[in-house]
Amino acid sequence: MRMILLVTLGLVLFLASAGCDSDRPDPKKPVTITMWHNYGGQMQSVMDELIDEFNSTVGREKGIIVSVTSISASKELQEKLFMIAAGDPGAPEMPDIVTAYPKTAIILREQGLLAPLDEQFTAKELDAYLPQFIEEGRLSDGKLYVFPIAKSTEVLFVNQTLFDRFSAATGVQLDSLSTFEGIAETAVKYYEWTDSLTPDKANDGKTFFTADSWFNIAQVGIAQLGGEFVFPDHLHVSSDLYRRIWEFSVLPALAGGYAVTHGYSSDLSKTGEIVCSLGSTAGILFYGDSITYPDNTIEAVTYNILPYPVFRGGKKIAIQRGGGMCIKRSTPKKEYAAALFLKWFTQPEQNMRFVYSTGYLPVTKEAFENNMKQEIYTAKTPNLKKLLEAATLMYGEYDFLIPPNYEQFDGLSKAYEIRLKQLMSLGRKSVIQDNKAPSIVGEELYGVFINL
Amino acid sequence: MFTSISSRILPEKIRLFRETRLSLHWHSFAYFILFLLAVMSGIFLILFSTGVFAVGLRECQVFLKNELEHITVDVTREFSTLSVEGVALAEHLAEQIEKRLKAAGVNPSGLKDHPHLLEPILSESADRLLMALEKSKSSGVFLILDATVNPALPTAENSRAGLFFKNMEPNVINLTFPAFRFLRGSAAIARQKPLNLLPQWQMEFQVTPGDFFFTTMNAAAGSNLPLSRLYYWNPCSALASNCEKAMLLCVPLITSDGTVIGVCGFEVSAMLFKLKNTPNNPTYTRAFTILAPLYGDILDASKAMYAGNYHAVPSQSGGILSIMAPAKGLSNYLASADGSVYSGLHQKINLYPKNSAFSGDEWVLAVLIPVQDITAIVRQYNRRFLLLFFALFIFSIVTALLISRRSVAPVVGALEMVKERKVPDNMRSNIQEIDDLIAFLTAQDAASGDLAGLSQDPVKTSALFDAFVNNIKTLSPAERAVFNLYMEGYTAQEIAKILCLSINTIKTHNKRIYTKLNVSSRKELMVYVRMMQEKNGKT
């Protein structure tokens, strides 16, 4: 009799438990994880391949489906996330996994939209990642919200074909581009040389250099020189150290050696309007292997990728770029599933496949220490091979600057970029129209700039 | 061999079972269980006949039908709207370009010979294209002119000047900062707007015979059909390597003299189609929509648009889907690439109006699910039912055990007491038959006690016997007839038959006989009868 009662009780408990929802995904009832990322263009196919592989292997086994619902540039993604955080009308629904930067994550966390990731990873698991990447993703409460999946730094992209042509005519060597001062001098020489090719036309020299972020040059440059540039509520532009940044950034532009663009430097590179530029390693795929001229003739070119330049007498410091992935606060099941995908994606095997196809850098110690050198030999394109070589060298010799997460950081950097470009354009016009010396115009503009 | 053994063993087992003496409790339990089994079998049959076990399949059919219905409406509306907007755009652009050519003193047919006009024409058209992109629900807008900026290049034959603007976030309302990018066209125009170049940027379009450009141009050349009958929907493909797959609406640009000077239209990217038309159901997570060209019974999966979870999409790398014979209200589709089978429903969709130059092209919209997913869902439903049924069965067994035990407990208890002769005075079991039995047995015991006393005292016995014999004379004839038959050894049932009386009448006679003869039971009566017979035998 007792046995019968026990069996009955067991059965009732079994039936009751069958109706309960577990915190873990069930392969019979897969959970769908939506994802937004900014790995578009050529990076998209690699990302798609990896997501597809996850879905058909680990995902299928564990009951997780990762579904990408948006691929757009990081700027647009961040704007959408700000809309979500602000509850703007028309804002889309936040996905389960999204590419975000710490500064965006701060706002999302304040609205209670992010899940802390420490609970999803053991200490041993987190220890496998480069500590500075993990630390960058920790917010003010000490918890990890931005998980690194791929990072980038800035390097100098040099159109070797155009530079060789210039070098053959002027004797300027590539190593002159290892310092910011060398780049400034070379830019002015290039302008003068190209201008001299058409003696009948005045001021038609070509620009040599541009940067995707002049603000990064300022913050990294001053760090190289031992100072500090960004403060919570202002930028320290009146210092002697900044004066060197200004002279590098503005004077060659006034002399015609720099291009001032509102787009990416790779756009100018594709049309042969510059020879070298400072940009993210992840921009490598945008450069291509040719120049298209306005008459639709296409010239095949090769690129060289050099480590980040250093101000003379400065330390080797470069910026650490690239956001990470944030997980939306939702159900324990979805949070677990999203974290499982991130773990899988950042395992050295998967991470390196993504890295050697995109120009990003891996995030685990194992991948960095063991896989990078090996992958240099299997990189898909010569440009990627050169990029990995430069990145490996930099991670051996450079320190990396992590931008601060000040609330006003974005506003300050944006304002700096706009004002500097405006003055560069105005100054160049002034040099041409008023026939003034760049140094004089530069001095006038500096007075205007520090008082803005 | 097995049959012969079982045919020998089974009857033997049955015989042994029949001979097995079961307790009252197990008899009662067996009857309960038989009853419950009969009831449950009835319920099972009712559920089966009413199709309860096909609920999973029916729900799946309903889901597919509803999804197909509303997605078909949405897709038809979206594609029709874009077609109308594309025709309007083509009319406007053709007029604008013709004006520009006229101002330059060039006939439309002479566009190819004046490449210097291309950049100004494209630059002027850019604003109109961007406006159309902003208003439309598309992922891109393009304009291709049948001319190239540099006819002297060796690649000029397949190179065409034009513009292609992409909206990277077509599904997001963002009027302040639309995420437009530049895929094709002069970099100078991109900087005017200003727009960033996409990594796949090229200055001109590369066209090949038989592609969307030539298909549209050729259909329009020399045709008398209106523009609304000349647009073409190019099946899903990538514009160039590394470009996203998309369908293109291609509308010819026809000037007033009938010259076809190019093609313009909209793009519906694979991502946009996916975001808008993914079936929404948490049960069928791998359900997906497919919009594909139809050739007989074959869907061209390699040129199809998909909306659903990525890894469930069949034949990403190509192949076809063959429509198989319908079964259980659903059609099955066999993927040639990997042999996988999908179940679902499909419906033809009209991308073109009647009399269109492309009205022979058939398109199908289908909502499909991997067949194993449907099987799993149906099984899951049925498993739930069977589990519930099993639980009910176990519950019934336990209940039958408890009830049977409880119901026979008083009987068993009373019997135990009777066996042990521990029946208390005035015992009441609340079961009439038990109480009667106990009363009967008690009376019998009392009579037995009297008879026992009778046999031990000869004087008393003789006196009682004499009284008995004398009392016989007081019996009525009817009672005497009954009594005589008792004397002859007949039972009450037999006497009723012989005298053609009911058993109740016999019982009434018995009561009177007992009263008149002063006996308390049949047993006592029979003692006197035996004594009479012995006496008669001696005499």
Side-chain angles (χ1 to χ4, degrees):
Chain A
M1 191 64 188
R2 190 175 294 171
M3 182 64 84
I4 291 166
L5 285 171
L6 281 172
V7 168
T8 313
L9 190 67
L11 194 76
V12 168
L13 285 172
F14 169 75
L15 288 172
S17 66
C20 292
D21 207 14
S22 161
D23 284 354
R24 295 286 181 265
D26 178 359
K28 289 172 190 165
K29 285 192 284 180
V31 59
T32 299
I33 301 298
T34 52
M35 180 179 182
W36 289 356
H37 65 74
N38 59 344
Y39 306 111
Q42 281 166 294
M43 290 182 272
Q44 188 186 334
S45 59
V46 189
M47 194 73 185
D48 283 348
E49 268 175 34
L50 284 166
I51 291 171
D52 192 26
E53 186 178 317
F54 174 82
N55 282 338
S56 45
T57 55
V58 179
R60 178 165 285 201
E61 187 190 313
K62 305 276 185 191
I64 303 165
I65 297 170
V66 176
S67 178
V68 177
T69 52
S70 176
I71 303 166
S72 51
S74 53
K75 189 179 158 195
E76 272 93 40
L77 272 186
Q78 305 313 306
E79 273 171 14
K80 281 197 289 182
L81 291 174
F82 286 138
M83 283 172 77
I84 292 167
D88 286 356
E93 193 185 339
M94 188 172 163
D96 298 301
I97 305 177
V98 64
T99 309
Y101 291 92
K103 60 195 175 197
T104 319
I106 289 171
I107 295 164
L108 293 170
R109 186 188 71 87
E110 281 169 3
Q111 299 301 318
L113 294 168
L114 294 186
L117 304 175
D118 306 76
E119 300 154 14
Q120 306 288 355
F121 291 83
T122 63
K124 194 181 170 189
E125 282 174 333
L126 285 180
D127 192 46
Y129 295 86
L130 286 170
Q132 64 266 40
F133 291 170
I134 294 292
E135 285 314 306
E136 193 186 354
R138 291 195 185 280
L139 301 186
S140 57
D141 62 354
K143 292 181 180 170
L144 178 65
Y145 290 94
V146 188
F147 192 77
I149 64 163
K151 287 286 174 181
S152 62
T153 183
E154 286 190 353
V155 286
L156 188 72
F157 295 93
V158 182
N159 185 322
Q160 192 69 47
T161 309
L162 294 185
F163 188 86
D164 287 348
R165 211 171 282 160
F166 166 59
S167 177
T170 61
V172 176
Q173 297 300 307
L174 197 64
D175 59 10
S176 62
L177 305 182
S178 61
T179 62
F180 280 104
E181 288 85 352
I183 291 173
E185 288 158 12
T186 309
V188 176
K189 278 183 192 166
Y190 183 76
Y191 177 81
E192 288 168 355
W193 174 66
T194 49
D195 192 29
S196 70
L197 295 177
T198 51
D200 51 325
K201 274 190 179 178
N203 299 322
D204 71 335
K206 285 189 170 183
T207 51
F208 178 79
F209 170 83
T210 194
D212 280 342
S213 170
W214 294 97
F215 178 79
N216 282 349
I217 291 174
Q219 62 172 335
V220 175
I222 288 182
Q224 288 180 348
L225 296 170
E228 207 167 343
F229 181 58
V230 186
F231 291 86
D233 57 349
H234 73 284
L235 303 175
H236 197 19
V237 292
S238 55
S239 68
D240 290 341
L241 292 180
Y242 181 73
R243 184 76 191 198
R244 287 183 66 182
I245 307 297
W246 170 267
E247 283 171 3
F248 163 77
S249 304
V250 178
L251 295 187
L254 302 182
Y258 292 172
V260 180
T261 178
H262 297 283
Y264 292 111
S265 57
S266 56
D267 289 1
L268 296 178
S269 211
K270 280 176 174 176
T271 48
E273 286 160 87
I274 54 169
V275 177
C276 74
S277 58
L278 269 179
S280 163
T281 52
I284 183 71
L285 299 174
F286 285 74
Y287 283 86
D289 54 7
S290 62
I291 292 174
T292 305
Y293 293 103
D295 65 351
N296 200 28
T297 53
I298 296 171
E299 181 186 8
V301 294
T302 56
Y303 279 89
N304 204 343
I305 292 148
L306 302 179
Y308 197 74
V310 180
F311 277 93
R312 281 176 193 150
K315 289 180 197 164
K316 286 185 174 179
I317 295 176
I319 197 159
Q320 181 173 298
R321 288 178 54 142
M325 288 289 183
C326 292
I327 294 180
K328 183 175 86 165
R329 183 176 281 288
S330 53
T331 61
K333 188 187 284 187
K334 282 198 163 190
E335 288 174 17
Y336 171 84
L340 194 75
F341 171 73
L342 296 183
K343 280 182 201 176
W344 178 86
F345 190 84
T346 49
Q347 279 173 13
E349 190 190 337
Q350 282 76 247
N351 211 202
M352 285 314 298
R353 276 168 62 194
F354 186 67
V355 163
Y356 70 65
S357 307
T358 59
Y360 277 93
L361 304 172
V363 290
T364 60
K365 291 174 187 167
E366 187 188 338
F368 234 104
E369 287 159 12
N370 302 332
N371 299 60
M372 278 280 272
K373 284 177 189 166
Q374 190 186 331
E375 296 297 341
I376 285 171
Y377 298 102
T378 55
K380 277 186 175 175
T381 65
N383 284 355
L384 271 170
K385 182 177 180 321
K386 288 170 195 165
L387 180 83
L388 292 174
E389 282 171 345
T392 309
L393 186 146
M394 283 176 69
Y395 270 85
E397 297 180 358
Y398 279 60
D399 288 329
F400 287 87
L401 176 77
I402 300 172
N405 290 329
Y406 300 141
E407 197 178 331
Q408 294 184 36
F409 182 85
D410 262 4
L412 289 170
S413 63
K414 201 172 175 182
Y416 177 88
E417 199 81 23
I418 291 169
R419 283 171 192 166
L420 195 76
K421 283 179 183 174
Q422 278 174 345
L423 291 180
M424 285 159 93
S425 299
L426 280 172
R428 176 67 188 152
K429 273 184 194 166
S430 178
V431 167
I432 295 170
Q433 288 169 0
D434 305 338
N435 204 19
K436 283 185 177 176
S439 55
I440 294 168
V441 175
E443 201 59 37
E444 289 169 5
L445 291 177
Y446 183 66
V448 175
F449 183 70
I450 57 170
N451 290 314
L452 278 174
Chain B
M1 180 73 175
F2 176 78
T3 317
S4 64
I5 291 170
S6 62
S7 63
R8 281 203 314 273
I9 291 171
L10 198 61
E12 183 65 15
K13 290 266 182 198
I14 293 169
R15 191 185 62 76
L16 286 171
F17 180 73
R18 278 181 180 164
E19 286 173 4
T20 306
R21 290 175 64 215
L22 291 174
S23 68
L24 190 59
H25 169 228
W26 287 112
H27 268 290
S28 171
F29 173 69
Y31 287 129
F32 267 121
I33 282 298
L34 280 174
F35 173 71
L36 286 170
L37 281 177
V39 171
M40 286 179 70
S41 303
I43 294 171
F44 196 83
L45 280 172
I46 291 167
L47 292 178
F48 190 79
S49 59
T50 52
V52 169
F53 294 106
V55 164
L57 190 63
R58 251 201 331 273
E59 278 194 6
C60 180
Q61 285 167 349
V62 170
F63 159 71
L64 286 167
K65 191 168 171 285
N66 290 342
E67 286 297 304
L68 181 67
E69 214 165 88
H70 87 79
I71 294 174
T72 302
V73 170
D74 291 350
V75 169
T76 306
R77 190 173 51 229
E78 284 160 18
F79 279 66
S80 303
T81 307
L82 278 181
S83 301
V84 171
E85 289 174 352
V87 169
L89 177 67
E91 282 171 346
H92 182 93
L93 288 174
E95 194 184 323
Q96 186 176 302
I97 294 167
E98 193 175 357
K99 268 186 196 169
R100 176 79 193 195
L101 289 172
K102 199 173 174 183
V106 175
N107 285 327
S109 56
L111 178 63
K112 280 182 185 178
D113 307 322
H114 297 83
H116 65 282
L117 289 175
L118 292 174
E119 181 135 343
I121 287 173
L122 292 172
S123 183
E124 279 174 14
S125 306
D127 286 337
R128 179 72 194 182
L129 288 166
L130 286 169
M131 201 192 303
L133 179 59
E134 210 165 303
K135 277 172 66 185
S136 72
K137 290 180 178 173
S138 70
S139 57
V141 66
F142 66 92
L143 162 66
I144 309 173
L145 295 175
D146 192 18
T148 174
V149 293
N150 195 345
L153 289 175
T155 54
E157 194 183 348
N158 292 325
S159 193
R160 295 292 183 277
L163 294 170
F164 200 134
F165 298 108
K166 289 266 290 181
N167 184 355
M168 305 308 287
E169 292 289 339
N171 56 317
V172 174
I173 303 163
N174 194 344
L175 298 175
T176 324
F177 303 106
F180 292 167
R181 294 284 183 278
F182 201 66
L183 182 63
R184 291 284 182 276
S186 157
I189 295 176
R191 274 167 216 149
Q192 281 169 18
K193 294 304 149 194
L195 292 172
N196 289 330
L197 308 187
L198 280 165
Q200 303 89 350
W201 170 82
Q202 286 173 14
M203 188 170 160
E204 293 204 336
F205 289 82
Q206 298 306 306
V207 293
T208 49
D211 70 358
F212 67 94
F213 178 74
F214 284 111
T215 304
T216 314
M217 293 284 290
N218 293 342
S223 171
N224 292 323
L225 290 170
L227 201 58
S228 61
R229 301 294 186 272
L230 288 170
Y231 68 79
Y232 169 65
W233 277 102
N234 189 54
C236 186
S237 60
L239 193 63
S241 61
N242 294 322
C243 279
E244 189 185 4
K245 281 191 164 187
M247 275 180 76
L248 293 178
L249 167 73
C250 310
V251 192
L253 293 168
I254 306 173
T255 55
S256 56
D257 65 352
T259 307
V260 187
I261 55 169
V263 173
C264 73
F266 292 104
E267 179 204 73
V268 178
S269 69
M271 177 63 84
L272 178 60
F273 186 82
K274 174 186 169 178
L275 291 174
K276 284 189 169 182
N277 301 302
T278 296
N280 183 19
N281 188 300
T283 308
Y284 305 102
T285 51
R286 295 204 297 164
F288 62 93
T289 307
I290 173 171
L291 175 64
L294 176 74
Y295 306 106
D297 284 339
I298 287 170
L299 305 183
D300 190 344
S302 64
K303 294 177 180 172
M305 298 278 265
Y306 297 95
N309 294 311
Y310 184 79
H311 81 287
V313 172
S315 321
Q316 279 288 336
S317 55
I320 55 166
L321 280 176
S322 305
I323 304 172
M324 298 153 75
K328 296 177 184 173
L330 295 175
S331 291
N332 284 329
Y333 307 80
L334 175 68
S336 64
D338 56 6
S340 49
V341 179
Y342 301 84
S343 274
L345 296 169
H346 64 267
Q347 191 173 326
K348 280 189 187 175
I349 192 164
N350 291 326
L351 295 184
Y352 304 107
K354 284 178 185 173
N355 307 324
S356 162
F358 301 99
S359 54
D361 292 5
E362 288 191 309
W363 285 80
V364 153
L365 190 88
V367 181
L368 308 181
I369 304 172
V371 76
Q372 62 268 31
D373 287 18
I374 296 181
T375 313
I377 295 287
V378 172
R379 272 193 197 142
Q380 197 182 328
Y381 267 96
N382 290 350
R383 201 177 297 134
R384 237 178 268 164
F385 269 115
L386 291 173
L387 204 63
L388 204 67
F389 225 73
F390 180 68
L392 196 65
F393 181 68
I394 297 291
F395 178 75
S396 302
I397 289 176
V398 174
T399 312
L401 267 173
L402 291 173
I403 292 175
S404 60
R405 187 177 284 266
R406 194 171 172 80
S407 64
V408 301
V411 180
V412 173
L415 290 174
E416 283 297 321
M417 280 191 283
V418 169
K419 272 200 277 184
E420 292 172 15
R421 298 188 178 280
K422 287 179 184 170
V423 182
D425 291 341
N426 303 321
M427 179 197 149
R428 285 285 179 274
S429 69
N430 292 333
I431 298 173
Q432 191 187 343
E433 288 80 356
I434 298 289
D435 291 343
D436 286 352
L437 178 67
I438 289 169
F440 173 74
L441 291 172
T442 308
Q444 285 233 329
D445 283 350
S448 302
D450 288 346
L451 289 171
L454 218 67
S455 57
Q456 285 166 7
D457 187 352
V459 179
K460 194 179 175 182
T461 302
S462 174
L464 285 171
F465 181 70
D466 290 344
F468 179 82
V469 172
N470 284 332
N471 287 341
I472 289 172
K473 293 169 190 166
T474 63
L475 296 178
S476 69
E479 289 161 356
R480 183 60 194 242
V482 173
F483 177 76
N484 288 343
L485 287 170
Y486 273 124
M487 290 276 287
E488 289 170 30
Y490 291 105
T491 63
Q493 291 285 352
E494 288 166 342
I495 295 166
K497 275 188 184 174
I498 292 166
L499 297 177
C500 298
L501 295 171
S502 72
I503 189 72
N504 287 333
T505 311
I506 300 300
K507 281 180 182 174
T508 309
H509 286 314
N510 283 350
K511 276 184 187 172
R512 286 181 184 154
I513 291 167
Y514 292 175
T515 308
K516 286 180 180 175
L517 299 182
N518 199 23
V519 295
S520 59
S521 66
R522 186 173 175 274
K523 194 175 176 183
E524 192 180 350
L525 176 71
M526 295 313 293
V527 170
Y528 285 116
V529 167
R530 272 199 305 277
M531 287 170 73
M532 282 180 72
Q533 285 168 342
E534 281 169 11
K535 194 175 177 185
N536 293 340
K538 283 178 187 173
T539 54

